[in-house]
Amino acid sequence: MPSNKSVSDAPIVQFTNCRILRSHQLQREDLWVREGKILNPEKLFFDEKGSADIQLDCKDSIVAPGFIDVQINGGFGVDFSLATDDFKSGIDLVSRKILSHGVTSFCPTLVTSPPAVYHQVLPQISVRNGGAHGAGVLAGAHLEGPFISKEKKGAHPEHCLRTFEEGAFQDLLATYGSLERVRIVTLAPEMKRSSEVIRELTKQGICVSLGHSVANLSQAEEAVQHGATFITHLFNAMLPFHHRDPGIVGLLTSDKIPAGRRVFYGMISDGIHTNPAALRIAHRAHPKGLVLVTDAIAGMGLAPGRHTLGQQVVEIDGLNTYIAGNCSVSPCSPGTKTLSGSVATMDTCVRHFQEATGCSVETALEAASLHPAQLLGIEHKKGTLNYDSDADFLMLNNSLYVQATYIAGEEVWRQEALGM
Amino acid sequence: MRLVILEDYDQASEWAAKYICNRIIQFKPSQGRYFTLGLPTGNTPLGCYKKLIEYHKKGDLSFKYVKTFNMDEYVGLPRNHPESYHSYMWNNFFKHIDIDPNNAHILDGNAADLQAECDAFEKKIEEAGGIDLFVGGIGPDGHIAFNEPGSSLSSRTRLKTLAMDTILANAKYFDGDLSKVPTMALTVGVGTVMDAREVMILITGAHKAFALYKAIEEGVNHMWTVSAFQQHPRTIFVCDEDATLELRVKTVKYFKG
């Protein structure tokens, strides 16, 4: 029937026969989209006397908000910490490829690098909406380092580590060059003058994350009081939980978190970085703060072998990635068992998280969509299927495999039917 | 009248839905020749709506050429409040069928001039050619729509204050907080429903049994406003066994035939 809308002439699409994730539950409701946003069909019916122009049958798929990856170092041979000539096309490639993993928005992540790298790379990161060209870059990069602890550097190159004890925030600014395209900074809060730095970063709207650190719980709590809201890959590159000093891990149940604030924590649930039992402990202690991240590196999506991660070389073997041995010296130094990022994809992480914790499908999906959106303070337009949100969503089957990816209401990726 | 007695709620709902479905199909509505349906809200018709949706989804029934007029709506409740009758109709009926939004009429309880809104509603019914089939329910106090005890049996669409019984019964939908329950509503009058060419009243459950008794076995009385339909040429009462509990055995046997 002809639709008769008083607000807009843009076509209205009604996705039917689906189960949508709304209000923390999968509900049998249709999803309505107009002009790239989720539309309220009741308002359309009564206020505008409007109806759908196109109806699409989702064949009983699960429809969930698009995944948001706030820690991804590269993929498909592209390394965001390498200042190459074709850096832009590298980011474009990754942003396009991760659509098939269900990621519709991401924060390109740079590991500890020399200042020259930041100065060259950051200006080339354009904050932009997603679309057919690829997932959107959400407000900027995630800078993991160089203001981190030597003892917990993990795969980060020691010679590039820095402190800001001399000039505090000015040191940080000089290192990065500009904070214009920066959204998240990971630092170690036990470093001298970190409180000032955290306060200033928070004031500038940048999310401060604690990681690669030997901080104890009270140092971590102080950092939170100054504005830190995230923990970088919980358990990894920090002191292990101890019952008399839980360290950063203790933030999950700390009673010193300022009222009205929530501490979020990244988890790489690839089955390697965290034992499933530890994943369960964290999830049960603080389910609403869990944010799934891939921490994916250049080798993600490629065959096993050697790839770069900023200034380092890493070796990939199956799902395991370790700092490689150095064969440019003689004799070859042996490979290490130091984990260095992952090659897991976001949808794999979601599935593994759901299996390992036995949590509901809704919880697993929210850990990759709603929670990162809440972390970045953008849940009014991303991370949910609420009315007036951006129409970035996925169609998944019951086993949580992505069948199709939509950005702003347009299909940007679809699983090809398997030939028989 | 016809008194149709089914064994339980589900069967009564199905009977009523089939009746409505057949009426629409037999009428053969088309462009410019709409079937006009009066509709109720509340718990009782939910089963009937579910069945109608089922027939629609099966492809047996279209509402493309059906115009609907709801009986009532609360005054002062925001239209998108989960307990408004707009929300009820959207969630339980309209969003599942193919009705044209221009043909779904519900009184606006937030209109600037409430009486003008009521008059306009009466006019819309008139312009639509009157109501072919008005479906209604019955309150435990025998009211039809919000025509509370004492309402004139020749009343038209107007603003009504809700009886305390009704407010208490509704409290459960407003977190048990009496202060949140609307105290006024816009409602079609008894006379408005009497003008319909055919009327079908759904009555299920033992708690409605006394009202049914008063409505059909006692006299026409403005204290039990459903009794007005004793004087309508084509009324069907559809009920389940429990709703007949206060009737005389003779009445039930006669209608079970």
Side-chain angles (χ1 to χ4, degrees):
Chain A
M1 85 192 85
S3 39
N4 172 15
K5 296 99 65 176
S6 50
V7 168
S8 155
D9 272 327
I12 295 174
V13 182
Q14 179 187 6
F15 294 87
T16 65
N17 191 12
C18 50
R19 289 161 287 152
I20 70 175
L21 177 59
R22 188 173 278 159
S23 306
H24 315 296
Q25 290 205 315
L26 283 181
Q27 307 183 6
R28 270 237 165 256
E29 292 284 348
D30 295 343
L31 186 75
W32 294 65
V33 177
R34 176 169 67 184
E35 288 182 304
K37 296 212 186 284
I38 313 273
L39 182 64
N40 181 341
E42 189 179 343
K43 210 149 170 275
L44 175 71
F45 187 89
F46 288 125
D47 285 349
E48 294 183 53
K49 312 276 185 233
S51 46
D53 293 296
I54 305 165
Q55 289 182 322
L56 291 175
D57 184 340
C58 299
K59 311 222 193 309
D60 201 33
S61 302
I62 293 174
V63 174
F67 299 146
I68 299 172
D69 195 352
V70 300
Q71 187 169 6
I72 166 172
N73 309 288
F76 308 96
V78 175
D79 178 351
F80 296 147
S81 306
L82 269 189
T84 58
D85 288 333
D86 56 351
F87 183 85
K88 263 195 187 327
S89 54
I91 271 213
D92 287 349
L93 176 74
V94 174
S95 70
R96 207 174 60 246
K97 292 283 213 176
I98 56 180
L99 293 176
S100 66
H101 307 157
V103 178
T104 52
S105 301
F106 70 109
C107 293
T109 306
L110 274 74
V111 296
T112 296
S113 304
V117 168
Y118 298 115
H119 295 186
Q120 276 179 287
V121 164
L122 286 178
Q124 298 193 62
I125 294 177
S126 46
V127 169
R128 62 175 182 186
N129 288 328
H133 56 270
V137 173
L138 272 183
H142 176 169
L143 302 183
E144 191 190 6
F147 303 101
I148 55 175
S149 148
K150 199 171 76 168
E151 293 98 325
K152 289 293 177 188
K153 64 182 188 294
H156 293 228
E158 185 165 340
H159 64 281
C160 296
L161 299 184
R162 293 168 87 85
T163 72
F164 35 51
E165 60 187 27
E166 282 212 23
F169 182 75
Q170 291 311 314
D171 277 353
L172 181 141
L173 192 55
T175 304
Y176 294 146
S178 152
L179 290 174
E180 207 188 303
R181 292 152 214 258
V182 176
R183 188 65 187 86
I184 306 174
V185 169
T186 293
L187 50 78
E190 70 274 19
M191 299 182 80
K192 276 210 201 40
R193 303 187 75 179
S194 70
S195 306
E196 297 169 51
V197 175
I198 295 173
R199 268 203 310 275
E200 185 58 36
L201 285 169
T202 305
K203 212 164 77 166
Q204 301 210 10
I206 290 176
C207 167
V208 176
S209 185
L210 309 179
H212 287 276
S213 156
V214 295
N216 59 34
L217 180 56
S218 26
Q219 286 166 326
E221 282 168 339
E222 199 186 318
V224 169
Q225 264 140 28
H226 288 294
T229 51
F230 196 42
I231 302 172
T232 301
H233 45 54
L234 187 79
F235 296 129
N236 301 106
M238 56 185 66
L239 291 177
F241 175 88
H242 183 283
H243 53 287
R244 275 189 294 280
D245 188 350
I248 293 177
V249 178
L251 285 177
L252 266 58
T253 48
S254 163
D255 57 357
K256 304 259 191 314
I257 312 293
R261 276 227 264 133
R262 187 187 303 173
V263 171
F264 292 88
Y265 56 100
M267 296 244 49
I268 308 171
S269 68
D270 59 352
I272 292 157
H273 278 74
T274 309
N275 183 295
L279 183 57
R280 284 190 287 273
I281 287 178
H283 168 63
R284 287 180 205 175
H286 183 27
K288 288 199 169 44
L290 200 150
V291 172
L292 292 175
V293 300
T294 59
D295 201 14
I297 57 165
M300 180 269 283
L302 300 181
R306 287 173 162 248
H307 299 278
T308 66
L309 176 61
Q311 311 294 311
Q312 302 273 39
V313 177
V314 303
E315 182 98 40
I316 295 172
D317 172 20
L319 275 180
N320 300 293
T321 66
Y322 301 116
I323 298 183
N326 187 352
C327 287
S328 68
V329 296
S330 187
C332 280
S333 66
T336 67
K337 282 293 172 199
T338 302
L339 291 175
S340 50
S342 88
V343 289
T345 63
M346 186 55 105
D347 58 318
T348 310
C349 289
V350 170
R351 286 191 294 274
H352 182 265
F353 172 63
Q354 201 271 315
E355 276 163 38
T357 58
C359 69
S360 65
V361 160
E362 293 92 328
T363 302
L365 293 170
E366 287 190 336
S369 56
L370 174 65
H371 293 174
Q374 287 172 328
L375 166 71
L376 297 178
I378 53 173
E379 78 208 79
H380 55 284
K381 56 178 185 137
K382 298 268 188 224
T384 71
L385 295 178
N386 294 340
Y387 302 137
D388 300 328
S389 284
D390 291 350
D392 297 349
F393 58 91
L394 312 171
M395 290 192 202
L396 306 113
N397 66 14
N398 287 334
S399 310
L400 300 185
Y401 279 86
V402 181
Q403 310 288 292
T405 306
Y406 286 75
I407 293 184
E410 301 292 325
E411 184 185 287
V412 295
W413 181 81
R414 173 161 287 276
Q415 170 78 55
E416 295 303 318
L418 296 168
M420 281 299 172
Chain B
M1 69 164 183
R2 273 177 78 181
L3 181 63
V4 177
I5 303 168
L6 284 311
E7 184 152 336
D8 57 28
Y9 175 78
D10 288 337
Q11 293 199 26
S13 300
E14 185 165 5
W15 195 99
K18 280 205 177 117
Y19 190 84
I20 297 169
C21 182
N22 288 337
R23 270 276 169 270
I24 295 173
I25 290 174
Q26 280 159 15
F27 184 87
K28 294 209 205 7
S30 60
Q31 182 68 38
R33 189 171 170 269
Y34 290 79
F35 186 87
T36 47
L37 197 52
L39 292 177
T41 52
N43 267 331
T44 308
L46 282 175
C48 178
Y49 282 130
K50 279 203 177 69
K51 278 289 175 190
L52 286 172
I53 291 164
E54 205 184 284
Y55 304 151
H56 168 69
K57 288 216 181 327
K58 267 205 304 223
D60 296 336
L61 178 60
S62 165
F63 291 87
K64 193 165 167 194
Y65 298 115
V66 173
K67 284 190 177 157
T68 64
F69 291 87
N70 265 68
M71 293 186 129
D72 42 24
E73 174 61 285
Y74 290 115
V75 166
L77 204 58
R79 205 221 56 225
N80 59 0
H81 190 283
E83 293 302 325
S84 80
Y85 288 166
H86 280 77
S87 293
Y88 176 103
M89 289 307 298
W90 168 256
N91 285 311
N92 293 312
F93 198 46
F94 294 147
K95 81 176 175 198
H96 304 278
I97 58 171
D98 61 345
I99 189 166
D100 183 334
N102 288 298
N103 292 335
H105 302 281
I106 309 181
L107 286 156
D108 177 7
N110 292 301
D113 183 344
L114 293 173
Q115 192 50 53
E117 169 70 12
C118 294
D119 296 340
F121 200 72
E122 288 273 344
K123 201 145 195 328
K124 282 194 200 118
I125 294 176
E126 200 190 332
E127 278 161 4
I131 308 268
D132 291 309
L133 172 59
F134 218 127
V135 182
I138 187 175
D141 58 1
H143 73 225
I144 174 122
F146 276 130
N147 293 288
E148 308 282 50
S151 293
S152 162
L153 299 180
S154 23
S155 52
R156 310 302 306 184
T157 306
R158 69 217 183 283
L159 172 67
K160 275 296 279 183
T161 310
L162 301 183
M164 184 42 83
D165 272 354
T166 306
I167 293 174
L168 288 172
N170 284 348
K172 64 178 182 277
Y173 300 119
F174 293 88
D175 303 323
D177 184 351
L178 283 183
S179 66
K180 290 201 182 126
V181 184
T183 53
M184 298 200 292
L186 300 183
T187 176
V188 292
V190 182
T192 316
V193 184
M194 282 288 284
D195 279 353
R197 287 180 271 287
E198 189 173 7
V199 176
M200 181 165 78
I201 310 280
L202 300 177
I203 311 180
T204 55
H207 59 302
K208 301 284 176 84
F210 192 74
L212 178 58
Y213 149 65
K214 280 289 187 188
I216 66 174
E217 285 190 341
E218 297 277 295
V220 173
N221 188 319
H222 67 173
M223 283 300 172
W224 301 89
T225 48
V226 178
S227 63
F229 295 93
Q230 293 177 24
Q231 300 196 297
H232 188 288
R234 276 181 89 191
T235 297
I236 310 178
F237 288 88
V238 180
C239 53
D240 62 357
E241 291 282 355
D242 283 348
T244 64
L245 285 173
E246 296 282 354
L247 299 179
R248 292 169 74 200
V249 175
K250 190 162 146 184
T251 309
V252 172
K253 280 192 175 203
Y254 175 74
F255 284 101
K256 272 192 169 164

